Amino acid sequence: MSRGGLARTLSRLERFENAKLDLEQYATPGELAAELLWTARMAGDIENRSVVDLGAGTGVLGIGALSLGASRVAFIEIDPDAIRILRHNLEGFDADRCDVVQIDVSSFSGSFDTCVMNPPFGAQREHADRVFLDRATTLARRIYSIHNANSRSFLERYAREAGLRFSIIAARSLPLSAAFEHHRKPRVFQEVVLCRLER
Ligand code: SAH
């Protein structure tokens, strides 16, 4: 599968029906998900690796990992409504390679090669992404994640204190709402960074 093909596949997945603000539900655009996953793949962190998708939502990142040959993917998500859509998106994939777990990430434990995530940025609940980072670092040796660009210095400090190697893969602008696409006004963007943390 090519990177463009991956982006198209992920763009076609079913999205959140009524995205929940308090959970900061936002489906990663296919193009951005493909960029993150392609980088992980080139580093040897996806194919034949076990992957955990924290805050999986409708499954964009985890399904991308499955498409790129992950040996198995655990989808961790708290919201039953998102899980319903996730299960629909997983139809056609080998069920033996997928675990869907409805749980708060802070209560989930396990051991994986790689973690992929687009966690809440903490706009609704302060430090929401710190909970995800804390969990991710106990679950996997490699973490590929998307964060608010404003969190850059927090991330650097976090990695230093945790003894992790930290790098920024790319900085991008995310269109915040598809609803704006039909407006003549410029769309609203969120600046994000794609990151890699390595134990
Ligand atoms: N990973 C998906 C969704 C990102 S939005 C994608 O990239 O498209 C963040 C997701 O985290 C939402 O689905 C939200 O319901 C979930 N979430 C938020 N807090 C959570 C928690 N404490 N435990 C598990 N999932 C959580």
Side-chain angles (χ1 to χ4, degrees):
M1 182 180 274
S2 69
R3 181 173 146 176
L6 177 65
R8 280 190 295 280
T9 300
L10 299 179
S11 301
R12 283 196 290 262
L13 293 174
E14 207 179 306
R15 309 257 131 184
F16 292 106
E17 259 158 33
N18 297 300
K20 293 176 184 157
L21 253 175
D22 57 332
L23 291 171
E24 297 192 47
Q25 291 184 336
Y26 176 90
T28 306
E31 199 57 58
L32 191 80
E35 183 172 20
L36 184 73
L37 292 163
W38 204 259
T39 305
R41 179 204 185 196
M42 296 311 272
D45 290 332
I46 300 290
E47 208 173 338
N48 297 321
R49 301 292 185 209
S50 59
V51 175
V52 60
D53 179 354
L54 286 189
T58 56
V60 178
L61 294 173
I63 288 172
L66 276 179
S67 308
L68 293 178
S71 54
R72 70 187 180 100
V73 176
F75 297 85
I76 312 306
E77 170 60 50
I78 199 169
D79 177 31
D81 293 330
I83 287 185
R84 201 169 28 78
I85 301 170
L86 166 62
R87 287 195 191 281
H88 171 81
N89 282 335
L90 278 173
E91 281 167 18
F93 283 95
D94 181 2
D96 292 347
R97 289 163 64 210
C98 310
D99 288 311
V100 177
V101 189
Q102 190 197 331
I103 193 171
D104 189 314
V105 291
S106 57
S107 306
F108 179 71
S109 54
S111 177
F112 300 86
D113 296 312
T114 305
C115 172
V116 293
M117 61 180 188
N118 183 2
F121 288 171
Q124 300 296 325
R125 271 182 289 175
E126 219 185 338
H127 305 312
D129 55 348
R130 178 186 275 278
V131 175
F132 274 65
L133 282 165
D134 286 346
R135 198 45 26 194
T137 53
T138 68
L139 290 169
R141 291 185 313 127
R142 303 282 159 82
I143 301 162
Y144 292 86
S145 60
I146 304 173
H147 297 271
N148 187 334
N150 291 337
S151 300
R152 197 171 173 144
S153 56
F154 157 73
L155 291 163
E156 281 164 357
R157 195 174 58 244
Y158 183 94
R160 204 177 327 113
E161 286 169 3
L164 303 166
R165 217 183 303 165
F166 171 75
S167 53
I168 302 249
I169 296 163
R172 298 281 177 257
S173 290
L174 273 188
L176 263 192
S177 165
F180 285 97
E181 276 170 23
H182 307 295
H183 288 202
R184 242 174 285 141
K185 279 199 286 177
R187 284 197 259 164
V188 177
F189 287 97
Q190 161 81 57
E191 304 300 319
V192 299
V193 283
L194 309 189
C195 304
R196 178 174 199 265
L197 293 131
E198 184 183 347
R199 209 193 286 156

